[in-house]
Amino acid sequence: MNSQEISIRTGSRSELVDITPQLSRLVKESKVADGLLVVFVPHTTAAVTINENADPSVQTDILNELKRLVPLTGSYTHSEGNSAAHIQSTLLGPSQTLFIQNGRLALGTWQGVYFCEFDGPRTRKIWVKIIGQ
Ligand code: ZN
């Protein structure tokens, strides 16, 4: 029941990175048939979300609307200059819990798990814990 770490390098300020393949590989290696996978992002300007992995325009729309809702510049007080990234990350949240069924991640047909970068490009960590028999 140790946690594992995935490292990814993001390529732009805001970006959604599909991490479903990496999570599926960890589930396979764990040999857990029924259980839970918890994915946690230990960063304050990044998040993890689950959404459509079929049409990439959905990811573009999500990022564009988050930028519209929380603009890069505004009447922010945080001196580091990345308040928008902090706010966007807290809107989506740092973790997701997924079911493992029959040795595989149980996702809806059109769902993928996305690491959400809001203050890149950076090298980021993702922690994963798999719980099960
Ligand atoms: Zn900051």
Side-chain angles (χ1 to χ4, degrees), residues 1-6 26 38-40 126-131:
M1 278 222 325
N2 294 328
S3 45
Q4 292 168 282
E5 187 171 296
I6 298 169
L26 291 178
V38 180
V39 55
F40 180 85
I126 302 162
W127 293 344
V128 179
K129 188 176 276 279
I130 293 172
I131 303 157

Side-chain angles (χ1 to χ4, degrees), residues 44-45 78 80-83 86 119 122:
T44 61
T45 55
H78 179 50
E80 202 184 11
N82 61 354
S83 279
H86 287 293
D119 197 22
R122 295 188 193 213

